[in-house]
Amino acid sequence: MPQQDDWEHEFDHNWANSAELKEPSARARMLAARWKENPPNPAPFRADPDRGAPRRSSWVSTAVVLGCVAVVIVLLGYAQMRSPY
């Protein structure tokens, strides 16, 4: 096997992935040390949404999007009519 120079060896992913020991990232080590003394409280996968503002129904959102698209089409048509070219 020919000897790889430093440049090729630096980007050799097969060599890096074949390492026997993979060290955790600095953030993982920091969180492990912090959680060893003070473990986090259990949290649900998704928190309940705030009930402050009511959600719009899907048809209202669809109407708003279609209205915006119609306004853009009208404005582009008006701008094309007004252009001298």
Side-chain angles (χ1 to χ4, degrees), residues 16-79:
N17 290 334
S18 67
E20 292 181 21
L21 179 65
K22 295 189 179 183
E23 186 175 320
S25 67
R27 177 154 176 82
R29 291 191 309 264
M30 178 197 68
L31 288 175
R34 182 184 298 170
W35 290 345
K36 190 181 293 184
E37 298 170 6
N38 186 13
N41 296 330
F45 177 69
R46 280 183 202 225
D48 291 334
D50 294 340
R51 296 293 178 181
R55 288 181 46 116
R56 290 188 298 214
S57 64
S58 63
W59 69 268
V60 173
S61 298
T62 304
V64 168
V65 170
L66 290 177
C68 290
V69 169
V71 167
V72 168
I73 290 172
V74 168
L75 287 176
L76 288 174
Y78 179 74

